[in-house]
């Protein structure tokens, strides 16, 4: 029973599509809700996932909430991002850690502009699996034609997805298969989720581990979370951005020694050699370490009331690296409703734009699409200290000068070879 | 290699603690001797081994914890080789504030809420690492992992920062601080499964044994010392009980049970199906009471 896997989801949908009811239903059906909480809900399961006082008064959810449910074989963490028009910020936040998106559509309304926007944002943030849930099928007489039409509309968006007709309120096809829709012979939502294979190791890319903390006891230990690939004892690595070669002498988790550490694990590494390595450095596979650069093109999501000021310096955090960053005037903005590139006039709250950015020191990075942890960064206002933007690195504009050119050439070739496989 | 849910939760908690240790000048770990504290302490030791965790432990005492909790607290701190700071609100001590005469609300406010603020201010701690989980309360579902507190320790929902990926913004001005919650994504069941898998010592009070108890207002309380006296019509009886959550003993409702091992506890949880706060008398003060307490600076 303790051998469960973990799957992180995000729910997307417009207000009133039935997101809360669906989540409440999943909690209920998997036995993840307690009797006293259920008693407070009456027959409205959406009340299981109620929010904060201020929101309750306004009758809307205004922030990302994280909910949990579990079956015998899997624990689910659900980022419940509100469906309200303005909340691109929340959806992006929730999607940043999600592996799968549940896209809700009201059967009576069909695919809306918001459906399109949410799917786009999830894709942008690297969510690779989508489930289209056509909800409230009871309201359209469980009609197959309605479902088919919505599936065809959604398919036109070009995403890869699985479609399931459901009624969150009555539970049809949520955990149990529906008796009212004999024409549907696919799995229920829960059956589908249980069958999802975790990300394959071969997809994890080359080994990278940003160093968070250096322990100085006995032999020096370099602590961090593996953000790509895996590493074994004895492996040859490089410490970036310097490019210093080293050999892994020991991989530890507490007092336990490990043979191998894989993506997602937090470990402590020691090297055979005495090398310089501090917080912010990235320990990486010697064959294809990530590059360092100080000029990038990035897609930026703006998250603050005060608009982006081109030319102003913001504090930037990428993995364990901190720098000062200047964002140039965005080249264009993405209209999240039409997905068209439109001329940018600055970047306002919930705006998404593509801009060049430069930093006051080289950063070890990977393209966001290759590695979320080494390609995603936040921008912080240096006066208010608030997180004002999130950025996804597309590519470097210029290699940083203080990197050994030789390391880089090796890197480029190795990476090209790796991608070509 | 596919990581299990416990491995992923463990890795996330360790990551969060290392981030806190790296980003703050004076972090502290809150330690109450409950199961979440036991797990948190275990994870802190994993995160920094072979070195000791680079922060002290802080216990905000109320004078009314179970005796077994004080014993475990001292032993666990000594075993970890960590400094243990115990703070008691001097004002509450002078006024003799207690849950029996003054009620749970005032008792909790003065000893816990005010006491925590005093302790953080006195030692100039800028981050307090605690074991709160998002599944404990519905209003906690939106709590950040790095939860920002304005000067005066106030929690303002509008000033919380978006948290993307594994990135936490720890910047702050003078007087501002953070609460850090490495167990945010754990459920009660995850905690017990992890306790079992790692063989972590938790308080014996979580396991059923015959204990002296009395029943008051429909709740079974343990008579942990002579300060809790039977009132008219009440009598002390031995019952097989255990506790689901631990706090001040006169405010912690016992559950009649025979579950004596973690495996039996987990089995009872599957069938029992009451939420954790059932036994917590402080949460019965009002519907959204937890949120109000948080705004005032409760953990
Ligand atoms: N008939 C029907 N109503 C539903 C269904 N799912 C949700 N609803 C109702 O739709 C309304 C909005 O649902 P809610 O879950 O609050 O939507 P949210 O805003 O997306 O969280 C509520 O009145 C629900 O009872 C369904 O499958 N069938």
């Amino acid at each position: 029973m303790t051998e469960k896997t973990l799957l992180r989801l995000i729910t997307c949908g417009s207000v009133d599509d039935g997101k809360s009811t669906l989540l409440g239903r999943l909690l209920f059906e998997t036995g993840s809700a307690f009797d006293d909480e259920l008693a407070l809900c009456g027959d409205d399961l959406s009340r299981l996932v109620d929010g904060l006082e201020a929101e309750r008064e306004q009758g809307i959810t205004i922030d990302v909430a994280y909910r949990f449910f579990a079956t015998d074989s899997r624990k689910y963490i659900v980022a419940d991002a509100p469906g309200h028009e303005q909340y691109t910020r929340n959806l992006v936040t929730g999607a940043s850690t999600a592996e799968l998106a549940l896209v809700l559509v009201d059967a009576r309304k069909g695919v809306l502009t918001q459906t399109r926007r949410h799917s786009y944002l999830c894709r942008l943030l690297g969510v690779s699996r989508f489930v289209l849930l056509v909800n409230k099928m009871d309201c359209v007489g469980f009609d197959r034609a309605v479902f088919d039409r919505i599936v065809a509309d959604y398919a036109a968006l070009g995403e890869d997805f699985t479609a399931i007709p459901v009624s969150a309120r009555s539970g049809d096809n949520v955990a149990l298969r529906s008796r009212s829709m004999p024409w549907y012979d696919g799995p229920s939502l829960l059956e589908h989720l249980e069958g999802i294979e975790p990300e394959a190791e071969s997809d994890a890319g080359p080994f990278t581990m940003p160093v968070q903390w250096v322990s100085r006891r006995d032999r020096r230990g370099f602590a961090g979370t593996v953000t790509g690939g895996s590493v074994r004892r004895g492996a040859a690595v490089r410490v970036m951005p310097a490019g210093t070669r080293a050999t892994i002498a020991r991989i530890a988790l507490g007092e336990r020694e490990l043979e191998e550490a894989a993506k997602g694990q937090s470990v402590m590494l020691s090297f055979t050699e005495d090398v310089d390595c501090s917080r912010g450095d990235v320990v990486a596979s010697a064959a294809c370490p990530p590059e360092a650069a100080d000029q990038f093109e990035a897609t930026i999501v703006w998250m603050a009331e005060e608009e982006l000021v081109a030319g102003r310096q913001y504090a930037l955090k990428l993995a364990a690296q901190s720098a000062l960053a200047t964002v140039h005037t965005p080249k264009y903005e993405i209209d999240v409703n039409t997905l068209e590139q439109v001329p940018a006039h600055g970047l306002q709250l919930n705006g998404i734009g593509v801009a060049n950015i430069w930093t006051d020191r080289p950063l070890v990075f990977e393209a966001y699409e290759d590695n979320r942890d080494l390609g995603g960064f936040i921008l912080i206002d240096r006066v208010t200290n608030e997180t004002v933007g999130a950025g996804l690195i597309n590519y470097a504009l210029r290699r940083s000068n203080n990197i050994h050119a030789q390391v880089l050439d090796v890197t480029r070739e190795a990476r090209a070879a790796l991608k070509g496989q | 290699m596919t990581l299990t849910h416990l491995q992923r939760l463990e890795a996330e908690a360790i990551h969060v603690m290392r981030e806190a240790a790296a980003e703050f000048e004076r972090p502290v770990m809150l330690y109450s001797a409950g199961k979440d504290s036991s797990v948190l302490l275990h994870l802190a030791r994993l995160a920094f081994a072979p070195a000791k965790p680079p922060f002290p432990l802080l216990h905000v005492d109320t004078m009314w914890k179970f005796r077994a909790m004080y014993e475990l607290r001292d032993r666990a701190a000594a075993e970890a080789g960590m400094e243990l700071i115990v703070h008691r609100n001097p004002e509450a001590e002078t006024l003799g504030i207690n849950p029996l005469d003054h009620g749970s609300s005032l008792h909790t406010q003065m000893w816990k809420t005010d006491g925590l603020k005093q302790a953080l201010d006195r030692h100039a701690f800028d981050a307090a690492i605690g074991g709160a989980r998002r599944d404990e309360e519905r209003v906690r579902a939106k709590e950040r992992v790095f939860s920002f507190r304005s000067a005066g320790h106030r929690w303002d929902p509008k000033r919380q920062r978006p948290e993307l990926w594994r990135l936490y913004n720890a910047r702050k001005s003078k007087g501002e601080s953070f609460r850090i919650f490495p167990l945010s994504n754990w459920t009660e069941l995850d905690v017990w499964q992890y306790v079992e898998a790692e063989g972590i010592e938790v308080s014996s009070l979580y396991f059923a044994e015959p204990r002296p108890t009395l029943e008051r207002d429909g709740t079974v309380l343990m008579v942990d010392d002579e300060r809790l006296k039977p009132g008219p019509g009440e009598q002390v009886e031995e019952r097989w009980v255990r506790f689901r959550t631990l706090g001040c003993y006169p405010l912690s409702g016992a559950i009649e049970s025979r579950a004596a091992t973690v495996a039996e506890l987990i089995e009872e949880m599957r069938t029992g199906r009451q939420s954790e706060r059932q036994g917590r008398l402080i949460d019965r003060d009002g519907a959204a009471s937890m949120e109000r307490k948080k705004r005032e600076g409760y953990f």
Side-chain angles (χ1 to χ4, degrees):
Chain A
M1 186 173 61
T2 55
E3 292 298 293
K4 289 181 196 180
T5 53
L6 179 70
L7 190 67
R8 298 192 65 135
L9 316 175
I10 178 167
T11 53
C12 315
S14 308
V15 179
D16 283 345
D17 282 353
K19 257 169 350 101
S20 310
T21 310
L22 178 81
L23 258 177
R25 170 64 62 184
L26 284 166
L27 262 64
F28 171 70
E29 300 273 1
T30 55
S32 306
F34 292 111
D35 289 348
D36 52 320
E37 292 171 336
L38 283 170
L40 292 175
C41 295
D43 60 357
D44 181 1
L45 287 172
S46 74
R47 296 182 57 192
L48 274 179
V49 295
D50 230 0
L52 300 178
E53 248 175 339
E55 295 168 8
R56 220 171 297 147
E57 281 156 20
Q58 292 167 31
I60 51 161
T61 338
I62 55 167
D63 218 336
V64 190
Y66 293 88
R67 325 272 183 194
F68 316 106
F69 64 93
T71 62
D72 281 343
S73 60
R74 186 162 273 175
K75 170 184 168 106
Y76 296 88
I77 298 180
V78 186
D80 179 11
H84 213 263
E85 183 107 31
Q86 304 91 307
Y87 297 115
T88 292
R89 171 176 67 176
N90 295 325
L91 203 90
V92 164
T93 301
S96 73
T97 51
E99 297 156 86
L100 180 147
L102 298 176
V103 180
L104 257 83
V105 168
D106 184 329
R108 297 168 304 184
K109 297 185 198 151
V111 174
L112 304 175
T113 307
Q114 303 218 31
T115 318
R116 200 182 157 104
R117 173 178 349 126
H118 293 156
S119 304
Y120 166 72
L121 291 172
C122 287
R123 174 75 74 208
L124 180 70
L125 269 290
V127 178
S128 56
R129 302 185 231 231
F130 290 80
V131 178
L132 175 72
L133 293 173
V134 180
N135 188 33
K136 308 199 187 182
M137 285 301 292
D138 54 304
C139 297
V140 295
F142 297 104
D143 182 358
R144 174 175 201 165
V146 173
F147 176 71
D148 287 345
R149 194 166 59 241
I150 292 172
V151 172
D153 283 351
Y154 191 76
L157 302 185
E159 314 279 3
D160 225 359
F161 66 99
T162 300
I164 305 174
V166 297
S167 169
R169 187 187 272 175
S170 61
D172 286 74
N173 282 339
V174 176
L176 301 174
R177 294 200 192 180
S178 170
R179 294 221 185 107
S180 311
M181 291 177 273
W183 47 265
Y184 172 79
D185 58 6
S188 70
L189 170 61
L190 198 59
E191 285 171 334
H192 176 70
L193 292 176
E194 293 281 277
I196 297 272
E197 290 290 331
E199 184 185 74
E201 202 180 333
S202 53
D203 296 340
F207 168 67
T208 50
M209 189 199 86
V211 174
Q212 280 185 284
W213 174 266
V214 178
S215 168
R216 281 172 219 294
R217 177 85 181 259
D218 312 335
R219 152 160 59 192
R220 288 205 301 160
F222 304 94
T225 302
V226 179
T227 55
S230 61
V231 70
R232 296 191 141 267
R233 188 156 31 150
V237 294
R238 281 181 189 270
V239 178
M240 305 305 288
T244 324
R245 289 177 176 279
T247 314
I248 303 286
R250 185 168 181 266
I251 305 172
L253 172 53
E255 302 289 341
R256 265 199 312 271
E257 291 220 16
L258 309 179
E259 266 309 307
E260 184 184 15
K263 182 174 169 179
Q265 277 186 298
S266 292
V267 292
M268 181 90 76
L269 304 178
S270 316
F271 302 134
T272 310
E273 304 81 1
D274 190 17
V275 298
D276 239 11
C277 177
S278 45
R279 174 170 165 88
D281 288 346
V282 177
V283 184
S285 120
C288 49
E291 297 178 44
D294 57 8
Q295 294 193 17
F296 307 94
E297 187 204 84
T299 303
I300 293 174
V301 183
W302 202 248
M303 302 186 147
E305 298 284 347
E306 193 193 338
E307 70 177 295
L308 166 75
V309 181
R312 178 190 285 180
Q313 284 201 310
Y314 293 96
L316 176 151
K317 193 171 176 188
L318 189 162
Q321 304 170 97
S322 295
L324 287 178
T326 310
V327 184
H328 289 255
T329 308
K331 299 176 188 174
Y332 58 86
E333 204 173 327
I334 294 159
D335 180 327
V336 286
N337 293 327
T338 62
L339 308 190
E340 280 165 6
Q341 298 178 4
V342 295
H345 308 284
L347 210 51
Q348 273 92 31
L349 175 63
N350 294 313
I352 299 182
V354 171
N356 288 346
I357 126 169
W358 55 271
T359 53
D360 67 338
R361 39 165 297 211
L363 298 175
V364 182
F365 77 99
E366 296 203 67
Y368 184 80
E369 60 172 6
D370 294 334
N371 187 321
R372 284 182 179 187
D373 294 290
L374 282 178
F377 60 86
I378 53 172
L379 295 172
I380 300 165
D381 183 296
R382 289 194 296 157
V383 177
T384 65
N385 290 327
E386 274 170 32
T387 301
V388 291
L392 320 176
I393 293 179
N394 298 330
Y395 50 80
L397 296 167
R398 188 185 71 136
R399 299 178 193 180
S400 168
N401 288 331
N402 53 356
I403 307 291
H404 309 294
Q406 187 199 349
V407 175
L408 269 180
D409 290 338
V410 171
T411 303
R412 296 223 153 165
E413 280 161 32
R415 298 207 147 233
L418 208 81
K419 277 182 198 159
Q421 276 172 6
Chain B
M1 179 163 74
T2 303
L3 302 181
T4 67
H5 76 300
L6 294 180
Q7 283 177 309
R8 280 179 72 175
L9 292 171
E10 175 186 69
E12 179 182 59
I14 290 174
H15 178 85
V16 168
M17 275 193 235
R18 289 169 171 170
E19 220 36 36
E23 294 266 19
F24 295 104
E25 271 164 45
R26 279 184 65 74
V28 67
M29 177 175 281
L30 299 186
Y31 183 85
S32 71
K35 62 184 184 302
D36 302 311
S37 290
S38 298
V39 167
L40 207 58
L41 179 56
H42 177 83
L43 290 163
R45 295 175 74 182
L46 289 187
F48 301 99
K52 285 173 199 158
F55 36 72
L57 298 173
L58 170 65
H59 182 222
V60 179
D61 190 19
T62 63
M63 315 276 284
W64 288 85
K65 302 286 174 181
F66 291 86
R67 279 174 302 163
M69 294 173 75
Y70 292 111
E71 280 163 35
L72 176 62
R73 175 195 74 186
D74 294 340
R75 190 150 38 84
E79 224 169 79
M82 293 168 74
E83 182 195 354
L84 171 68
I85 300 168
V86 176
H87 179 83
R88 297 191 191 100
N89 179 355
E91 193 191 356
E93 209 162 359
T94 311
L95 294 173
I97 301 298
N98 69 77
L100 301 176
D101 299 321
H102 303 99
S104 68
S105 183
L106 183 69
H107 174 78
T108 307
Q109 167 78 35
M110 289 195 70
W111 283 105
K112 284 182 79 174
T113 309
D114 297 350
L116 174 63
K117 291 193 247 183
Q118 286 167 356
L120 297 179
D121 289 342
R122 173 184 298 182
H123 300 275
F125 291 127
D126 56 355
I129 304 167
R133 293 177 278 110
R134 285 176 174 145
D135 80 322
E136 279 176 72
E137 275 289 331
R138 270 181 290 179
V139 300
R140 283 218 196 257
K142 296 171 191 209
E143 181 65 284
R144 300 301 195 271
V145 176
F146 274 44
S147 179
F148 176 78
R149 302 298 151 108
S150 325
H153 303 280
R154 288 183 75 84
W155 174 79
D156 176 353
K158 295 207 167 60
R159 292 197 63 193
Q160 301 305 315
R161 299 163 180 176
E163 291 180 337
L164 294 97
W165 306 293
R166 284 183 250 256
L167 284 179
Y168 303 102
N169 171 0
R171 291 175 64 109
K172 57 179 169 46
S173 303
K174 205 162 177 294
E176 297 169 344
S177 62
F178 279 83
R179 305 289 179 273
I180 312 292
F181 301 119
L183 306 183
S184 286
N185 288 327
W186 297 52
T187 61
E188 185 187 15
L189 181 61
D190 298 329
V191 167
W192 281 119
Q193 289 182 338
Y194 190 69
V195 164
E196 172 97 316
E198 293 285 295
I200 299 169
E201 184 190 357
V202 294
S203 172
S204 56
L205 293 158
Y206 289 111
F207 306 105
E209 56 178 74
R211 296 188 162 99
T213 59
L214 59 76
E215 197 176 329
R216 183 168 293 177
D217 303 330
T219 302
V220 175
L221 299 175
M222 175 173 167
V223 184
D224 196 43
D225 59 35
E226 70 300 331
R227 290 178 295 178
L228 180 62
K229 296 187 177 63
E234 292 173 352
Q235 57 200 3
V236 178
E237 270 176 62
E238 195 171 87
R239 290 181 173 87
W240 273 83
V241 292
R242 64 178 175 88
F243 296 87
R244 181 121 171 241
T245 58
L246 296 175
C248 295
Y249 81 80
L251 299 177
S252 302
I255 302 171
E256 301 218 31
S257 164
R258 292 268 171 172
T261 63
V262 176
E264 286 167 12
L265 277 188
I266 292 175
E267 197 44 45
E268 270 196 11
M269 276 179 64
R270 286 172 160 267
T271 47
R273 321 256 332 199
Q274 297 291 309
S275 73
E276 258 176 307
R277 65 202 158 117
Q278 267 306 90
R280 269 184 214 164
L281 301 186
I282 61 162
D283 288 342
R284 296 197 191 155
D285 295 344
S289 63
M290 179 61 89
E291 182 164 338
R292 226 160 273 131
K293 282 209 266 308
K294 269 181 61 177
R295 284 182 200 250
E296 289 161 8
Y298 182 77
F299 199 68

